[in-house]
Amino acid sequence: MGSYAVIGLGRFGASVATTLVSLGHEVLGVDKSQKKVQELADVLTHAAAADAKDEEVLKSFGVRNFDGVVVAIGQDIEANILTTVMLSDLGVKNIIAKAQTELHGQVLQRVGATRIVYPEKDMGVKVANNISSETILDYIELSSDHSIVEFIAPNKFIGKTLGKLNLRAKYGISILAIKKGNDIMVAPGAEGLIEQDDLLVVVGGNSAINKCTR
Ligand code: ATP
């Protein structure tokens, strides 16, 4: 079990914080709005109403002792950057900060954020992929031309084993998992059989994955 602090409990921060709790972690949620704090007080391990721009406030939470601190302040870019700077100055090793734009992300990296997330941009990519292909269920961008994709096994794969399909040689993609209802075969071997309604999780180049999903 880890311990995390989430600063800013808007839609993104609240979702991060409550998901961390459901994954079994201890979570401190901080927001300057008393209302936001009250809404989540029963769900989170600790919740506090405070302005994160105040360094003494951050110190008083013992931010250094958390496994990670998420800066989920959105519109107020000044508060978002200042909070990140102060967390870094206070010696927080793992700072995950939400950025609005690429430039904002670069600034956050310079001032000490260890990981930058772009929730709106990432969700846009996911939604576009889902819309463009009805069989693609989930999508993680690894680089501009490589991804991990979860998709419904196409008819051309049904009834065949991975050994027979030889996807690595034919398409240059690797199957990470086959999901069969509630069962999941992780790193399936050559004998792994693909059946109707299976979901495949694959890693590879985008154009190769596109060919596979069709
Ligand atoms: P989302 O899309 O996650 O709903 P957003 O990107 O629109 O959020 P905001 O609503 O501006 O972002 O900020 C998220 C939360 O951060 C808000 O609940 C806001 O009260 C809180 N917040 C903003 N500034 C501070 C601050 N200085 N200290 C603590 N919390 C703050």
Side-chain angles (χ1 to χ4, degrees):
M1 186 173 76
S3 63
Y4 296 90
V6 178
I7 300 173
L9 299 171
R11 289 160 300 180
F12 172 70
S15 169
V16 172
T18 53
T19 306
L20 284 168
V21 167
S22 68
L23 291 170
H25 302 294
E26 275 188 10
V27 178
L28 162 70
V30 179
D31 201 294
K32 66 177 183 183
S33 146
Q34 184 77 47
K35 188 169 163 273
K36 293 271 168 64
V37 170
Q38 266 164 10
E39 277 167 14
L40 289 170
D42 291 342
V43 186
L44 306 183
T45 325
H46 307 282
D51 188 339
K53 280 193 291 186
D54 184 340
E55 192 165 359
E56 290 307 313
V57 164
L58 291 181
K59 250 192 223 163
S60 73
F61 290 134
V63 282
R64 263 188 86 139
N65 303 320
F66 289 94
D67 294 310
V69 180
V70 181
V71 181
I73 298 170
Q75 316 275 320
D76 187 347
I77 293 188
E78 185 189 331
N80 167 297
I81 293 172
L82 262 179
T83 305
T84 306
V85 172
M86 287 188 291
L87 291 171
S88 179
D89 285 351
L90 289 170
V92 179
K93 294 276 178 303
N94 187 18
I95 306 171
I96 302 99
K98 164 175 152 159
Q100 307 274 16
T101 62
E102 288 288 336
L103 183 61
H104 180 194
Q106 284 168 19
V107 174
L108 287 171
Q109 196 154 27
R110 291 255 176 99
V111 299
T114 30
R115 183 163 166 209
I116 320 291
V117 290
Y118 303 88
E120 287 87 359
K121 177 176 164 268
D122 292 351
M123 191 44 82
V125 172
K126 269 187 206 281
V127 169
N129 273 281
N130 283 346
I131 293 171
S132 79
S133 165
E134 281 173 6
T135 59
I136 293 182
L137 304 179
D138 207 354
Y139 177 95
I140 300 171
E141 191 181 355
L142 297 178
S143 70
S144 56
D145 47 16
H146 284 81
S147 323
I148 294 177
V149 175
E150 179 180 72
F151 60 100
I152 301 166
N155 284 337
K156 61 187 175 188
F157 292 178
I158 309 290
K160 295 185 179 144
T161 62
L162 296 187
K164 175 116 201 292
L165 286 169
N166 206 4
L167 297 177
R168 196 170 301 164
K170 266 195 211 146
Y171 296 96
I173 66 164
S174 298
I175 302 234
L176 301 176
I178 303 178
K179 288 188 185 174
K180 294 176 182 292
N182 288 329
D183 294 331
I184 178 156
M185 283 168 74
V186 177
E191 72 292 347
L193 177 68
I194 299 182
E195 295 168 295
Q196 189 79 40
D197 299 330
D198 281 357
L199 302 181
L200 308 180
V201 182
V202 308
V203 60
N206 292 341
S207 61
I209 292 177
N210 272 337
K211 274 187 211 146
C212 258
T213 57
R214 270 190 251 120

